[in-house]
Amino acid sequence: MSDNTTRRGLLKGGLAAGAGLAMGGGAARAEGDPLITEVQPWASGLGDGVDATPYGLPIEYEADVIRRNVPWLTADTISSINFTPIHALDGTITPQGCAFERHHSGAIEMRKEDYRLMINGMVETPLVFTYADLERFPRENRVYFLECAANTGMEWAGAQLNGAQFTHGMIHNMEYSGVSLRTLLEEAGYDTSATWIYVEGHDASSNGRSIPMEKALDDVLVAFKANGEALRMEHGYPVRLVVPGWEGNMWVKWLRRIEVRQGPVESREETSKYTDTLADGTSRKWTWVMDAKSIITSPSPQSPITHGPGPLVITGLAWSGRGAITRVDVSKDGGKSWETARLAKPGETKALTRFYLDTDWDGGEMLLQARAMDETGYVQPTKQQLREIRGENSIYHNNCIQTWWVQPNGEAENVEVS
Ligand SMILES: Nc1nc2c(c(=O)[nH]1)N[C@H]1C(S)=C(S)[C@@H](COP(=O)(O)O)O[C@H]1N2
Ligand SMILES: [Mo]
């Protein structure tokens, strides 16, 4: 590139930034700030060489962007959960290193060489695949969210946890590379009269779950890479099941066995898992699909507004287990009036969608809410609407609209509006 084009490029960039300013973006006048007018230490010496960090971690100044546990939620960390710092991330892809973890008997360490996957039951030929075998089948790349059915579960009875990380952080969104389960079932010659599969993991809990055959043959993946690299141990290294749009519990990690069956496994353990209590005291089971939901990630209790009135970017995430997000509305007055947010890009099926509302904050208090809509026409319900059907004794599948009370000092709090 010649000096000339470079300079023209810079000039254009400058003009674009200027246009942003005219629209009201935040910036200061150029004079008087030594951080830009004077030579700083980082410009007077040399930086680290390329081999200083063969596999990099975030810079120390981002040490706050980490998974967090809520110690009182579970008895110990072996059968526990932590939360994705969604309040501090942008875009839609969750880095594996801060993507929430949920395990029932701890994360196990397994070498690829020791990995085996069995497909048995109603098949022509029961098969055992090694990791190397799996790599020889045609591969797919797909981005999907995984949400634990217990996400937002503490909020049924009232506003409880103060931060999007804790109220909505049992979710992550990754690009998976793997083989379609259908391909492997065909390889084993599945019996077309089979109606279910039963899947289990190599870990002590095994996390066995039954999945209807229709779903198994649709979009389920046997995945070995996430966001381009090997799955992290805590996400099921070397191989996990990806069950798009369905509750996280079915996404079996350290996948060990797939049994092709007639009917589900009706163990007490499985039936009691992830059922939904209704207002009349009865329970609903087999509510696998995660309904449309959204959350404002900033401003939020862990991500307060740190500037005065004027331009403010309100942002968050929306998703639906039934397809693509088509629209997200944002309210500043607790649901009385709504403005349609801008989707960073068109919604993708069963994946997180980032939304922005570029707004002008008057410095007053706000009751911030987001409301998601998906391609089926489903509209995310209010907490009150959900409670009318589900009562207050539910734990799982809480997809209600969340409210943040933003105060004039920029701080935000988890509240409920009636
Ligand atoms: N083998 C196995 N698979 C498992 C689990 C487990 O404990 N063991 N936990 C399940 C639950 S409840 C959830 S929400 C997801 C969490 O996946 P993650 O740890 O990658 O976030 O894994 C599911 N798959
Ligand atoms: Mo879960």
Side-chain angles (χ1 to χ4, degrees):
M1 204 188 270
S2 76
D3 244 27
N4 197 17
T5 44
T6 310
R7 224 170 265 137
R8 203 175 305 141
L10 275 176
L11 193 63
K12 261 200 207 143
L15 281 176
L21 252 182
M23 284 169 59
R29 301 187 70 87
E31 68 262 11
D33 184 348
L35 281 168
I36 192 69
T37 56
E38 281 166 33
V39 176
Q40 298 297 321
W42 47 83
S44 1
L46 300 176
D48 284 347
V50 289
D51 289 333
T53 323
Y55 192 100
L57 285 172
I59 195 164
E60 60 188 294
Y61 312 120
E62 296 293 317
D64 216 34
V65 186
I66 49 170
R67 297 188 275 234
R68 286 185 178 83
N69 190 356
V70 175
W72 54 263
L73 274 182
T74 47
D76 60 64
T77 58
I78 298 298
S79 177
S80 190
I81 189 134
N82 56 22
F83 301 87
T84 307
I86 52 171
H87 64 286
L89 301 177
D90 211 323
T92 56
I93 296 294
T94 317
Q96 286 200 68
C98 68
F100 92 95
E101 312 160 64
R102 167 79 175 112
H103 12 84
H104 295 80
S105 50
I108 56 170
E109 195 177 309
M110 180 180 226
R111 299 187 318 151
K112 271 184 196 159
E113 293 76 9
D114 299 331
Y115 179 75
R116 297 291 183 275
L117 167 63
M118 176 189 275
I119 300 189
N120 66 353
M122 295 172 67
V123 292
E124 255 165 51
T125 330
L127 293 176
V128 174
F129 302 87
T130 63
Y131 186 89
D133 292 336
L134 292 178
E135 284 188 305
R136 300 178 64 185
F137 289 94
R139 242 168 271 168
E140 292 180 11
N141 284 199
R142 308 246 184 249
V143 176
Y144 293 119
F145 75 81
L146 178 163
E147 184 183 17
C148 177
N151 199 21
T152 323
M154 282 76 72
E155 304 296 309
W156 275 108
Q160 278 232 53
L161 299 176
N162 219 18
Q165 178 167 23
F166 303 111
T167 57
H168 289 75
M170 291 185 200
I171 193 162
H172 51 62
N173 192 65
M174 304 187 194
E175 184 198 43
Y176 295 98
S177 309
V179 178
S180 106
L181 176 57
R182 186 190 193 106
T183 303
L184 300 181
L185 290 172
E186 282 169 353
E187 186 72 12
Y190 71 94
D191 186 331
T192 51
S193 70
T195 50
W196 291 76
I197 59 167
Y198 179 72
V199 288
E200 62 183 18
H202 281 273
D203 52 330
S205 80
S206 90
N207 200 78
R209 284 299 302 258
S210 300
I211 301 175
M213 199 56 160
E214 204 184 354
K215 179 68 173 174
L217 295 174
D218 181 14
D219 53 4
V220 176
L221 292 178
V222 171
F224 32 83
K225 295 275 166 80
N227 301 340
E229 64 180 355
L231 285 163
R232 296 284 169 87
M233 175 176 83
E234 59 270 36
H235 301 301
Y237 181 90
V239 177
R240 92 173 302 164
L241 202 64
V242 168
V243 189
W246 289 27
E247 61 189 20
N249 188 259
M250 303 175 104
W251 296 48
V252 171
K253 303 191 275 191
W254 316 289
L255 182 63
R256 189 184 103 86
R257 191 172 70 97
I258 299 169
E259 185 189 324
V260 179
R261 304 171 46 90
Q262 196 63 262
V265 170
E266 285 281 11
S267 68
R268 197 188 66 82
E269 189 193 325
E270 192 182 41
T271 311
S272 64
K273 252 181 203 172
Y274 305 92
T275 52
D276 295 324
T277 311
L278 305 185
D280 63 7
T282 62
S283 284
R284 183 157 66 179
K285 70 173 182 176
W286 293 346
T287 46
W288 303 300
V289 183
M290 303 307 291
D291 282 318
K293 185 164 167 180
S294 65
I295 180 67
I296 291 177
T297 52
S298 180
S300 67
Q302 298 160 287
S303 177
I305 305 174
T306 54
H307 56 74
L312 169 69
V313 174
I314 298 173
T315 187
L317 294 166
W319 61 96
S320 167
R322 298 185 193 274
I325 289 295
T326 48
R327 185 172 134 188
V328 180
D329 293 335
V330 170
S331 176
K332 296 171 184 160
D333 53 16
K336 292 192 193 89
S337 66
W338 296 91
E339 293 169 70
T340 298
R342 171 171 64 86
L343 306 186
K345 54 182 177 176
E348 289 164 22
T349 193
K350 301 163 194 174
L352 293 189
T353 296
R354 169 68 57 181
F355 65 85
Y356 296 103
L357 186 75
D358 311 298
T359 195
D360 202 38
W361 181 40
D362 63 9
E365 63 176 12
M366 295 185 281
L367 287 167
L368 281 185
Q369 298 184 335
R371 176 177 73 183
M373 279 155 252
D374 71 17
E375 61 180 309
T376 69
Y378 178 95
V379 181
Q380 186 184 357
T382 64
K383 212 171 197 177
Q384 221 31 58
Q385 286 168 334
L386 257 195
R387 276 190 187 134
E388 278 159 27
I389 303 168
R390 303 272 302 279
E392 291 184 15
N393 296 320
S394 281
I395 300 172
Y396 300 113
H397 295 277
N398 182 350
N399 68 321
C400 74
I401 290 173
Q402 169 70 39
T403 311
W404 303 132
W405 173 43
V406 179
Q407 295 149 63
N409 65 6
E411 282 170 17
E413 223 177 275
N414 181 4
V415 297
E416 277 190 17
V417 293
S418 43

